Amino acid sequence: MAAGIAWLFYRSAWALLPLSPLVALSLMAGRNQRREERRRQLAVQFREGLTALCAALSAGYSVENATAEAARELRSMYGEEGLMVREMELLGRKIRMNCPVEKAFGELAERSGLEDIRQLADVFAIAKRSGGDLVKILGKTAGTLRTRSQLREEILTLMAGKRLEQRIMSVMPAAVLLYVNLGNPGFTDPLYQGIGGRCIMSVCLVVYGLAVRWGSRIVNGALQEGI
């Protein structure tokens, strides 16, 4: 990307030096995107694991055995490498070592950063203190979390089109400039010669970058507000 920008806006390899921070920014953006995708997958698998946990508790299993049963169910669905499989197994081991259920779920919430798991830990704590019907409370909680998760998936689906439109609009100015450079290179030669032309292209690049960043923040902000 840095090499493409250096050629498109400056036609100079020396422009790679000031543009080198783009490499770090791209790596950071990719890491954040992978982190969000991992959280999304973890949320989906947690919803399935909670459903299996409620079913096992309804069948008369203890919390320890129900956790192990939920882990087996998740393993059959997502394989050994499933994100929630390992977390559920670790959760079962902690409970078998007499760790309070709400504390075990609270630690899982801290590691994953999922608010749904934090709410489930609070539900366990409240049910434990009040002595209520744990199976019934968990069943209602699972239904609520399932509805919220499905709503999130619908929002992501609806916003996918807008995100694609934003990406296309972000690429269009560079595509037009590339078309002009390839189709009629002499037409844009003054922009690549002298201090005046370099300054104009630098201003265009800054404005272009700010516009891309602004559009991305608008789409991502609408998505986060919807979720």
Side-chain angles (χ1 to χ4, degrees):
M1 183 173 62
I5 292 175
W7 180 85
L8 196 58
F9 283 86
Y10 299 102
R11 289 184 186 171
S12 172
W14 291 105
L16 281 172
L17 295 177
L19 291 174
S20 57
L22 287 176
V23 178
L25 294 176
S26 298
L27 291 175
M28 291 175 59
R31 185 171 63 249
N32 292 335
Q33 185 176 1
R34 289 191 298 271
R35 185 185 298 116
E36 290 300 319
E37 180 62 24
R38 184 181 185 277
R39 287 186 60 194
R40 180 169 172 266
Q41 293 178 3
L42 189 61
V44 173
Q45 294 183 22
F46 171 72
R47 182 186 67 190
E48 300 296 339
L50 181 57
T51 301
L53 180 65
C54 293
L57 289 173
S58 300
Y61 286 84
S62 64
V63 177
E64 296 85 349
N65 294 331
T67 304
E69 186 65 25
R72 284 193 291 270
E73 183 69 21
L74 289 173
R75 189 182 299 106
S76 65
M77 296 174 62
Y78 300 104
E80 292 291 341
E81 299 301 322
L83 298 176
M84 202 61 202
V85 174
R86 289 170 289 181
E87 294 291 350
M88 193 65 71
E89 291 175 346
L90 178 61
L91 191 70
R93 286 196 295 269
K94 287 183 177 181
I95 295 175
R96 285 191 293 272
M97 294 174 64
N98 296 324
C99 178
V101 178
E102 62 275 14
K103 181 180 179 181
F105 273 100
E107 292 174 352
L108 175 57
E110 291 294 333
R111 290 196 305 274
S112 64
L114 293 179
E115 183 61 26
D116 289 348
I117 302 180
R118 168 61 61 188
Q119 293 178 4
L120 183 63
D122 294 339
V123 167
F124 267 109
I126 294 172
K128 186 176 180 180
R129 288 197 301 267
S130 63
D133 188 347
L134 181 61
V135 176
K136 185 177 180 180
I137 294 174
L138 281 180
K140 290 183 178 180
T141 303
T144 302
L145 295 180
R146 190 181 304 112
T147 301
R148 288 177 52 185
S149 180
Q150 291 173 352
L151 180 61
R152 291 193 191 103
E153 294 298 325
E154 292 177 3
I155 292 175
L156 288 173
T157 302
L158 293 174
M159 291 299 297
K162 297 298 181 182
R163 180 173 292 179
L164 178 61
E165 292 176 7
Q166 184 266 329
R167 290 175 177 174
I168 293 175
M169 294 298 295
S170 297
V171 172
M172 284 304 297
V176 171
L177 182 58
L178 177 62
Y179 174 77
V180 174
N181 280 333
L182 294 179
N184 191 0
F187 186 76
T188 56
D189 282 346
L191 295 175
Y192 299 97
Q193 300 171 357
I195 297 178
R198 303 289 185 181
C199 291
I200 291 175
M201 293 304 290
S202 297
V203 172
C204 291
L205 179 59
V206 171
V207 173
Y208 181 33
L210 292 176
V212 172
R213 178 62 177 169
W214 188 18
S216 178
R217 292 191 64 178
I218 290 175
V219 174
N220 292 333
L223 179 60
Q224 292 298 327
E225 184 178 353
I227 293 179

